[in-house]
Amino acid sequence: MGLHIQLAGEADGTITIDLFEDVAPGHTAQIVALAKAGAYDGVVFHRVIDGFMAQTGDVQFGRTGGEDFDMRRAGMGGSTLPDLEAEFSELSFERGVVGMARSQSPDSANSQFFIMFAPGPFLDGQYTIVGKVTEGMDVVDAIKRGDQRANGAVTGEPDRMVKVTVTQE
């Protein structure tokens, strides 16, 4: 199973992600449920750090056109679904790996995820890995970068996921 993500903005194109249901069954099931419900459609990339990762998935505050959309709060929300218990694995955060964002608690991942621009082995065993980009890393590389001095916060017009669909593989 995977995701097909159509992006718009500085990054204009499609990303294909292979989801690792066997590695993180709870996290991938939640992502699939949100994608099937259309919750990710219109959600911005709110935190993008050059040489590190691009973060998105805040369906509460980061969804353009949503009643609660607020770029200043994007990244602070989640979904109406419950937070998830960590599903750490032996996999490593390499370029193209997709991980679940969370707060201080390892069991706080909900809807937000990030895509690695470069290896980040310091994240291994700290964040749940849910998949890997199989096509479209050139599109990922084109995502608008955030302000390095503001922890990667994107200002101005952010890139967004126009449409996220679930694929059967």
Side-chain angles (χ1 to χ4, degrees), residues 16-115:
T16 302
I17 295 173
D18 180 24
L19 293 174
F20 299 159
E21 304 99 300
D22 54 333
V23 173
H27 288 73
T28 56
Q30 186 135 312
I31 289 170
V32 166
L34 290 167
K36 284 184 175 178
Y40 286 126
D41 298 351
V43 174
V44 300
F45 282 85
H46 63 271
R47 182 172 175 243
V48 184
I49 300 174
D50 193 36
F52 180 33
M53 60 88 217
Q55 186 171 332
T56 186
D58 182 347
V59 301
Q60 182 178 7
F61 299 121
R63 188 169 189 212
T64 56
E67 65 183 57
D68 290 332
F69 177 70
D70 185 341
M71 198 57 198
R72 296 164 300 179
R73 296 188 70 197
M76 296 180 190
S79 74
T80 57
L81 299 175
D83 288 348
L84 299 159
E85 286 189 29
E87 294 177 296
F88 300 146
S89 67
E90 297 297 316
L91 297 176
S92 186
F93 278 90
E94 302 168 354
R95 176 173 162 75
V97 164
V98 180
M100 288 298 284
R102 62 172 177 79
S103 65
Q104 295 283 0
S105 169
D107 300 328
S108 62
N110 186 287
S111 65
Q112 295 185 46
F113 60 91
F114 56 92
I115 305 170

